[in-house]
Amino acid sequence: MGKTLSTLLVHLRHFLCFLILIALPRCSNSIPKLNSSYMTPVAYPSTIDNFRMEVPFGWRFLDPGEYQGMSPSYWLVRQGQNSSSFTGMRVFHISPERIGAYYGTSDADGDNLKIDIKKYCSKTLLEAKKAGTLNVKNFPCRIIDKLQACGYSGYEMRENRRYFANFWFVWRHDGMWEINIYSDPDSNEIPQELLKALDTIRWERR
């Protein structure tokens, strides 16, 4: 009797282990997977954070009063240059209301707006090709200030001169931030100090 009971308990233990092994994959599949291409919901659409970046030696941010033509939020040029120079970095902020109308998804009541940054970058890349940007190449996504950034490169003609450019996009709670970096005229390379400056970009809450 005792031996029979022991045998039954062993079989029961094996059967329970078998049930657990079957159940584990189902439990793991029931856990929602984070979609890495979806970034922070827009929590404070009326508040634009301060953009910060270590300015490389030999470069400077233009004062808004020096802007002519385009109106980026921040404009970096070489010392001694002004807004007539295409070489440098331009940082644009696009409000969540404006960007969400075309690329966003949100709750039924319009809250918690989200942007798929990879899809946004791909659509922007196609638009750039149609507008005449040459040799467009997609970048692997990277991290800028703990957030996913996606981008591409290409050549643009400005005042009959060819510029190599990098374009990066970062989706944050306060909207889309677009970072455009331009080479010297007719160059195939971006100044290395500008590429390194991407690693120093930070946003500070107002």
Side-chain angles (χ1 to χ4, degrees):
M1 180 69 180
K3 185 176 181 179
T4 303
L5 181 59
S6 298
T7 302
L8 289 174
L9 289 175
V10 169
H11 287 302
L12 179 61
R13 187 181 299 114
H14 290 167
F15 180 70
L16 290 175
C17 290
F18 177 73
L19 291 178
I20 291 172
L21 289 174
I22 293 176
L24 279 175
R26 295 181 179 178
C27 291
S28 62
N29 289 336
S30 67
I31 299 174
K33 293 182 179 180
L34 177 65
N35 186 343
S36 61
S37 65
Y38 268 87
M39 300 310 295
T40 309
V42 176
Y44 309 102
S46 62
T47 302
I48 303 174
D49 288 344
N50 291 314
F51 175 88
R52 296 285 183 262
M53 186 186 76
E54 293 181 12
V55 179
F57 179 78
W59 298 79
R60 71 182 183 98
F61 278 118
L62 293 177
D63 292 326
E66 299 179 80
Y67 291 8
Q68 293 183 10
M70 293 185 297
S71 297
S73 302
Y74 301 89
W75 196 334
L76 187 74
V77 299
R78 281 198 173 94
Q79 292 286 355
Q81 298 293 318
N82 54 35
S83 60
S84 65
S85 173
F86 286 104
T87 302
M89 180 186 294
R90 297 170 179 81
V91 181
F92 297 87
H93 172 262
I94 306 174
S95 69
E97 295 86 359
R98 179 182 168 192
I99 207 82
Y102 302 98
Y103 301 102
T105 60
S106 60
D107 298 339
D109 56 4
D111 293 332
N112 297 319
L113 175 67
K114 295 180 180 180
I115 299 293
D116 188 322
I117 191 68
K118 292 181 180 178
K119 289 183 179 180
Y120 176 84
C121 181
S122 296
K123 291 180 180 179
T124 306
L125 183 153
L126 292 175
E127 292 171 0
K129 284 184 177 180
K130 293 178 181 178
T133 302
L134 304 174
N135 297 333
V136 177
K137 295 182 180 179
N138 201 31
F139 286 133
C141 292
R142 55 163 295 166
I143 298 298
I144 295 180
D145 194 20
K146 301 179 182 179
L147 292 171
Q148 187 180 43
C150 296
Y152 65 90
S153 65
Y155 290 89
E156 291 189 352
M157 297 298 296
R158 303 279 185 171
E159 297 182 353
N160 298 319
R161 304 293 296 274
R162 188 188 68 172
Y163 291 84
F164 181 59
N166 288 1
F167 304 93
W168 288 100
F169 306 94
V170 182
W171 174 247
R172 303 184 71 253
H173 68 85
D174 56 353
M176 183 69 70
W177 289 80
E178 180 177 335
I179 304 167
N180 301 345
I181 312 175
Y182 289 90
S183 71
D184 291 307
D186 305 317
S187 174
N188 296 319
E189 295 182 355
I190 300 290
Q192 286 299 308
E193 59 268 33
L194 296 185
L195 297 179
K196 292 179 180 178
L198 289 173
D199 294 325
T200 71
I201 290 176
R202 299 290 182 271
W203 281 272
E204 297 178 355
R205 291 291 181 95
R206 291 181 183 272

